[in-house]
PDB file of all heavy atoms in Angstrom:
ATOM      1  N   TYR A  24      11.084  10.628  20.371  1.00  0.00           N
ATOM      2  CA  TYR A  24      10.927  11.201  18.976  1.00  0.00           C
ATOM      3  C   TYR A  24      11.553  12.576  18.962  1.00  0.00           C
ATOM      4  O   TYR A  24      11.917  13.032  17.830  1.00  0.00           O
ATOM      5  CB  TYR A  24       9.444  11.233  18.727  1.00  0.00           C
ATOM      6  CG  TYR A  24       8.904   9.805  18.503  1.00  0.00           C
ATOM      7  CD1 TYR A  24       8.100   9.314  19.584  1.00  0.00           C
ATOM      8  CD2 TYR A  24       9.217   9.096  17.470  1.00  0.00           C
ATOM      9  CE1 TYR A  24       7.680   8.037  19.514  1.00  0.00           C
ATOM     10  CE2 TYR A  24       8.671   7.688  17.324  1.00  0.00           C
ATOM     11  CZ  TYR A  24       7.950   7.248  18.409  1.00  0.00           C
ATOM     12  OH  TYR A  24       7.524   5.952  18.289  1.00  0.00           O
ATOM     13  N   SER A  25      11.643  13.288  20.057  1.00  0.00           N
ATOM     14  CA  SER A  25      12.350  14.588  19.991  1.00  0.00           C
ATOM     15  C   SER A  25      13.897  14.504  19.593  1.00  0.00           C
ATOM     16  O   SER A  25      14.361  15.114  18.748  1.00  0.00           O
ATOM     17  CB  SER A  25      12.246  15.250  21.381  1.00  0.00           C
ATOM     18  OG  SER A  25      13.000  16.525  21.412  1.00  0.00           O
ATOM     19  N   LYS A  26      14.513  13.474  20.185  1.00  0.00           N
ATOM     20  CA  LYS A  26      15.842  13.139  19.950  1.00  0.00           C
ATOM     21  C   LYS A  26      16.002  12.618  18.450  1.00  0.00           C
ATOM     22  O   LYS A  26      16.933  13.049  17.764  1.00  0.00           O
ATOM     23  CB  LYS A  26      16.498  12.132  20.820  1.00  0.00           C
ATOM     24  CG  LYS A  26      17.947  11.996  20.688  1.00  0.00           C
ATOM     25  CD  LYS A  26      18.532  10.948  21.697  1.00  0.00           C
ATOM     26  CE  LYS A  26      18.704  11.550  23.055  1.00  0.00           C
ATOM     27  NZ  LYS A  26      19.336  10.698  24.040  1.00  0.00           N
ATOM     28  N   ALA A  27      15.050  11.861  18.046  1.00  0.00           N
ATOM     29  CA  ALA A  27      15.069  11.285  16.674  1.00  0.00           C
ATOM     30  C   ALA A  27      15.023  12.482  15.641  1.00  0.00           C
ATOM     31  O   ALA A  27      15.767  12.569  14.684  1.00  0.00           O
ATOM     32  CB  ALA A  27      13.940  10.369  16.462  1.00  0.00           C
ATOM     33  N   THR A  28      14.159  13.478  15.895  1.00  0.00           N
ATOM     34  CA  THR A  28      14.057  14.631  15.069  1.00  0.00           C
ATOM     35  C   THR A  28      15.322  15.437  15.180  1.00  0.00           C
ATOM     36  O   THR A  28      15.778  15.872  14.069  1.00  0.00           O
ATOM     37  CB  THR A  28      12.873  15.489  15.482  1.00  0.00           C
ATOM     38  OG1 THR A  28      11.636  14.727  15.484  1.00  0.00           O
ATOM     39  CG2 THR A  28      12.791  16.834  14.674  1.00  0.00           C
ATOM     40  N   ASP A  29      15.929  15.582  16.296  1.00  0.00           N
ATOM     41  CA  ASP A  29      17.200  16.259  16.344  1.00  0.00           C
ATOM     42  C   ASP A  29      18.272  15.584  15.429  1.00  0.00           C
ATOM     43  O   ASP A  29      19.054  16.307  14.787  1.00  0.00           O
ATOM     44  CB  ASP A  29      17.678  16.301  17.777  1.00  0.00           C
ATOM     45  CG  ASP A  29      16.899  17.204  18.700  1.00  0.00           C
ATOM     46  OD1 ASP A  29      16.073  18.047  18.244  1.00  0.00           O
ATOM     47  OD2 ASP A  29      17.009  17.053  19.934  1.00  0.00           O
ATOM     48  N   TYR A  30      18.386  14.356  15.513  1.00  0.00           N
ATOM     49  CA  TYR A  30      19.344  13.648  14.697  1.00  0.00           C
ATOM     50  C   TYR A  30      19.104  13.806  13.226  1.00  0.00           C
ATOM     51  O   TYR A  30      20.028  13.879  12.418  1.00  0.00           O
ATOM     52  CB  TYR A  30      19.447  12.116  15.068  1.00  0.00           C
ATOM     53  CG  TYR A  30      20.130  11.810  16.359  1.00  0.00           C
ATOM     54  CD1 TYR A  30      19.566  11.023  17.276  1.00  0.00           C
ATOM     55  CD2 TYR A  30      21.368  12.402  16.580  1.00  0.00           C
ATOM     56  CE1 TYR A  30      20.157  10.720  18.513  1.00  0.00           C
ATOM     57  CE2 TYR A  30      22.028  12.122  17.781  1.00  0.00           C
ATOM     58  CZ  TYR A  30      21.401  11.316  18.774  1.00  0.00           C
ATOM     59  OH  TYR A  30      22.059  10.978  19.943  1.00  0.00           O
ATOM     60  N   GLU A  31      17.849  13.760  12.825  1.00  0.00           N
ATOM     61  CA  GLU A  31      17.477  13.968  11.484  1.00  0.00           C
ATOM     62  C   GLU A  31      17.872  15.440  10.986  1.00  0.00           C
ATOM     63  O   GLU A  31      18.440  15.604   9.797  1.00  0.00           O
ATOM     64  CB  GLU A  31      15.998  13.808  11.221  1.00  0.00           C
ATOM     65  CG  GLU A  31      15.548  13.984   9.789  1.00  0.00           C
ATOM     66  CD  GLU A  31      16.145  13.123   8.827  1.00  0.00           C
ATOM     67  OE1 GLU A  31      16.759  11.970   9.160  1.00  0.00           O
ATOM     68  OE2 GLU A  31      16.010  13.325   7.566  1.00  0.00           O
ATOM     69  N   VAL A  32      17.613  16.387  11.834  1.00  0.00           N
ATOM     70  CA  VAL A  32      18.021  17.791  11.519  1.00  0.00           C
ATOM     71  C   VAL A  32      19.547  17.887  11.364  1.00  0.00           C
ATOM     72  O   VAL A  32      20.074  18.481  10.403  1.00  0.00           O
ATOM     73  CB  VAL A  32      17.496  18.846  12.598  1.00  0.00           C
ATOM     74  CG1 VAL A  32      18.122  20.153  12.320  1.00  0.00           C
ATOM     75  CG2 VAL A  32      16.002  18.874  12.498  1.00  0.00           C
ATOM     76  N   ILE A  33      20.267  17.299  12.331  1.00  0.00           N
ATOM     77  CA  ILE A  33      21.719  17.296  12.226  1.00  0.00           C
ATOM     78  C   ILE A  33      22.212  16.617  10.924  1.00  0.00           C
ATOM     79  O   ILE A  33      23.141  17.129  10.218  1.00  0.00           O
ATOM     80  CB  ILE A  33      22.401  16.534  13.380  1.00  0.00           C
ATOM     81  CG1 ILE A  33      22.085  17.412  14.691  1.00  0.00           C
ATOM     82  CG2 ILE A  33      23.873  16.347  13.307  1.00  0.00           C
ATOM     83  CD1 ILE A  33      22.386  16.757  16.022  1.00  0.00           C
ATOM     84  N   ARG A  34      21.615  15.507  10.628  1.00  0.00           N
ATOM     85  CA  ARG A  34      22.056  14.753   9.446  1.00  0.00           C
ATOM     86  C   ARG A  34      21.817  15.632   8.125  1.00  0.00           C
ATOM     87  O   ARG A  34      22.665  15.649   7.297  1.00  0.00           O
ATOM     88  CB  ARG A  34      21.223  13.438   9.269  1.00  0.00           C
ATOM     89  CG  ARG A  34      21.583  12.550   8.037  1.00  0.00           C
ATOM     90  CD  ARG A  34      20.737  11.381   7.874  1.00  0.00           C
ATOM     91  NE  ARG A  34      19.369  11.823   7.419  1.00  0.00           N
ATOM     92  CZ  ARG A  34      19.099  12.118   6.172  1.00  0.00           C
ATOM     93  NH1 ARG A  34      20.058  12.167   5.200  1.00  0.00           N
ATOM     94  NH2 ARG A  34      17.917  12.520   5.825  1.00  0.00           N
ATOM     95  N   ARG A  35      20.726  16.263   8.076  1.00  0.00           N
ATOM     96  CA  ARG A  35      20.397  17.086   6.863  1.00  0.00           C
ATOM     97  C   ARG A  35      21.272  18.266   6.779  1.00  0.00           C
ATOM     98  O   ARG A  35      21.484  18.795   5.725  1.00  0.00           O
ATOM     99  CB  ARG A  35      18.989  17.510   6.989  1.00  0.00           C
ATOM    100  CG  ARG A  35      17.972  16.426   6.612  1.00  0.00           C
ATOM    101  CD  ARG A  35      16.613  16.964   6.566  1.00  0.00           C
ATOM    102  NE  ARG A  35      15.631  15.888   6.489  1.00  0.00           N
ATOM    103  CZ  ARG A  35      14.538  15.965   5.775  1.00  0.00           C
ATOM    104  NH1 ARG A  35      14.131  17.169   5.318  1.00  0.00           N
ATOM    105  NH2 ARG A  35      13.718  14.976   5.684  1.00  0.00           N
ATOM    106  N   ARG A  36      21.796  18.856   7.911  1.00  0.00           N
ATOM    107  CA  ARG A  36      22.560  20.019   7.917  1.00  0.00           C
ATOM    108  C   ARG A  36      24.034  19.916   7.855  1.00  0.00           C
ATOM    109  O   ARG A  36      24.765  20.860   7.750  1.00  0.00           O
ATOM    110  CB  ARG A  36      22.129  20.883   9.119  1.00  0.00           C
ATOM    111  CG  ARG A  36      20.764  21.464   8.983  1.00  0.00           C
ATOM    112  CD  ARG A  36      20.512  22.390  10.100  1.00  0.00           C
ATOM    113  NE  ARG A  36      19.170  22.951  10.006  1.00  0.00           N
ATOM    114  CZ  ARG A  36      18.635  23.676  10.917  1.00  0.00           C
ATOM    115  NH1 ARG A  36      19.213  23.968  12.070  1.00  0.00           N
ATOM    116  NH2 ARG A  36      17.320  24.067  10.771  1.00  0.00           N
ATOM    117  N   HIS A  37      24.598  18.699   7.942  1.00  0.00           N
ATOM    118  CA  HIS A  37      25.979  18.603   8.067  1.00  0.00           C
ATOM    119  C   HIS A  37      26.704  18.941   6.752  1.00  0.00           C
ATOM    120  O   HIS A  37      26.077  18.839   5.757  1.00  0.00           O
ATOM    121  CB  HIS A  37      26.474  17.270   8.723  1.00  0.00           C
ATOM    122  CG  HIS A  37      26.529  16.159   7.702  1.00  0.00           C
ATOM    123  ND1 HIS A  37      25.391  15.330   7.409  1.00  0.00           N
ATOM    124  CD2 HIS A  37      27.574  15.671   6.970  1.00  0.00           C
ATOM    125  CE1 HIS A  37      25.804  14.431   6.516  1.00  0.00           C
ATOM    126  NE2 HIS A  37      27.101  14.578   6.278  1.00  0.00           N
ATOM    127  N   PRO A  38      27.954  19.427   6.892  1.00  0.00           N
ATOM    128  CA  PRO A  38      28.575  20.011   5.716  1.00  0.00           C
ATOM    129  C   PRO A  38      28.726  19.122   4.436  1.00  0.00           C
ATOM    130  O   PRO A  38      28.906  19.622   3.317  1.00  0.00           O
ATOM    131  CB  PRO A  38      29.953  20.429   6.216  1.00  0.00           C
ATOM    132  CG  PRO A  38      29.771  20.590   7.664  1.00  0.00           C
ATOM    133  CD  PRO A  38      28.737  19.537   8.064  1.00  0.00           C
ATOM    134  N   ALA A  39      28.658  17.776   4.574  1.00  0.00           N
ATOM    135  CA  ALA A  39      28.886  16.984   3.398  1.00  0.00           C
ATOM    136  C   ALA A  39      27.738  17.033   2.500  1.00  0.00           C
ATOM    137  O   ALA A  39      27.851  16.634   1.316  1.00  0.00           O
ATOM    138  CB  ALA A  39      29.065  15.469   3.948  1.00  0.00           C
ATOM    139  N   HIS A  40      26.552  17.590   2.850  1.00  0.00           N
ATOM    140  CA  HIS A  40      25.463  17.764   1.961  1.00  0.00           C
ATOM    141  C   HIS A  40      25.681  18.937   1.037  1.00  0.00           C
ATOM    142  O   HIS A  40      26.073  19.993   1.389  1.00  0.00           O
ATOM    143  CB  HIS A  40      24.123  17.961   2.771  1.00  0.00           C
ATOM    144  CG  HIS A  40      23.639  16.641   3.328  1.00  0.00           C
ATOM    145  ND1 HIS A  40      23.028  15.711   2.539  1.00  0.00           N
ATOM    146  CD2 HIS A  40      23.651  16.220   4.576  1.00  0.00           C
ATOM    147  CE1 HIS A  40      22.647  14.687   3.373  1.00  0.00           C
ATOM    148  NE2 HIS A  40      23.111  14.976   4.560  1.00  0.00           N
ATOM    149  N   THR A  41      25.362  18.742  -0.214  1.00  0.00           N
ATOM    150  CA  THR A  41      25.420  19.770  -1.214  1.00  0.00           C
ATOM    151  C   THR A  41      24.026  20.382  -1.470  1.00  0.00           C
ATOM    152  O   THR A  41      23.999  21.474  -1.975  1.00  0.00           O
ATOM    153  CB  THR A  41      26.030  19.247  -2.542  1.00  0.00           C
ATOM    154  OG1 THR A  41      25.246  18.189  -3.018  1.00  0.00           O
ATOM    155  CG2 THR A  41      27.420  18.782  -2.359  1.00  0.00           C
TER     156      THR A  41
END
Side-chain angles (χ1 to χ4, degrees):
Y24 296 102
S25 176
K26 188 180 281 188
T28 300
D29 291 343
Y30 285 130
E31 179 62 13
V32 169
I33 292 169
R34 185 188 67 81
R35 289 180 184 216
R36 290 185 179 173
H37 83 273
H40 283 282
T41 57

